[in-house]
Amino acid sequence: MSAISWRGPGPLVILHGKIKSNHYLSILAKRHERRKCLERAHQSEEQITARNTTQRIRISESRIQKSKRQRDERLRQNISRNRVALEQHIATFRVRERERQQASRALSRASFFRLAFEYAPDINYSANFKITIGAMDKVCPYCQALKFRNETPGM
């Protein structure tokens, strides 16, 4: 078997004995879903009722085949998976919030004397309400350069 070179999105898979990309399969799935949606839109009430009945029977047979212990185990796994995901989300949120608060506190306690000469790029200076730089919308009368509102004239 020869090596296959592929530069498209996603890995390659085999479908009906032919090599296809996952991207191609997702397009096929979307076409299939679109076709099914159109078919369902043109169904009569009797066809919809028959489809729902067969679906209901299929689901109930599937549930009968599974024991109560299997169902409880699956539900327990789902609950624990959701709990872990929620705990990770909360932990990430708390870390980010703690970092934001620490930066805000450090900036509020910081002395503004010679702060421009001790610039730290990891501090969000715009978060401090005491620091307002504003827009460069004033025109210098000497060189027509844009300046900040309270900037010294002639600089």
Side-chain angles (χ1 to χ4, degrees):
M1 186 171 166
S2 62
I4 298 173
S5 174
W6 172 250
R7 293 176 188 239
L12 294 174
V13 294
I14 296 177
L15 175 68
H16 303 299
K18 296 182 180 176
I19 297 174
K20 302 289 182 183
S21 70
N22 275 347
H23 178 68
Y24 177 77
L25 292 178
S26 69
I27 291 171
L28 284 180
K30 289 176 186 172
R31 286 182 188 162
H32 181 69
E33 290 170 10
R34 225 178 283 131
R35 186 175 50 81
K36 273 189 149 185
C37 185
L38 287 173
E39 287 174 1
R40 287 179 180 166
H42 296 295
Q43 286 182 345
S44 66
E45 284 294 323
E46 296 83 26
Q47 290 172 325
I48 293 172
T49 305
R51 183 173 40 98
N52 288 344
T53 304
T54 57
Q55 179 76 5
R56 199 174 302 116
I57 291 169
R58 195 173 337 134
I59 289 173
S60 64
E61 287 174 353
S62 171
R63 289 181 178 161
I64 289 170
Q65 290 175 356
K66 294 181 181 175
S67 68
K68 177 153 175 51
R69 193 175 70 212
Q70 287 174 325
R71 180 181 179 276
D72 290 344
E73 180 61 29
R74 180 180 51 82
L75 292 176
R76 222 182 341 268
Q77 287 175 352
N78 287 347
I79 289 170
S80 66
R81 191 178 318 119
N82 290 342
R83 186 175 293 137
V84 166
L86 179 64
E87 288 171 356
Q88 288 175 346
H89 177 71
I90 290 172
T92 304
F93 175 79
R94 285 182 178 162
V95 166
R96 288 183 184 156
E97 182 65 17
R98 193 176 310 119
E99 289 172 353
R100 187 193 64 77
Q101 287 177 355
Q102 287 173 349
S104 176
R105 286 183 192 131
L107 190 59
S108 65
R109 283 187 245 127
S111 167
F112 293 109
F113 180 70
R114 299 184 56 83
L115 185 62
F117 298 105
E118 301 167 3
Y119 177 76
D122 57 326
I123 297 176
N124 183 10
Y125 292 98
S126 64
N128 193 317
F129 67 95
K130 294 180 183 177
I131 299 175
T132 54
I133 296 174
M136 293 181 79
D137 55 357
K138 301 298 175 201
V139 179
C140 176
Y142 304 107
C143 65
Q144 280 66 45
L146 291 176
K147 298 181 161 224
F148 295 108
R149 182 180 39 170
N150 294 330
E151 196 170 353
T152 308
M155 289 282 294

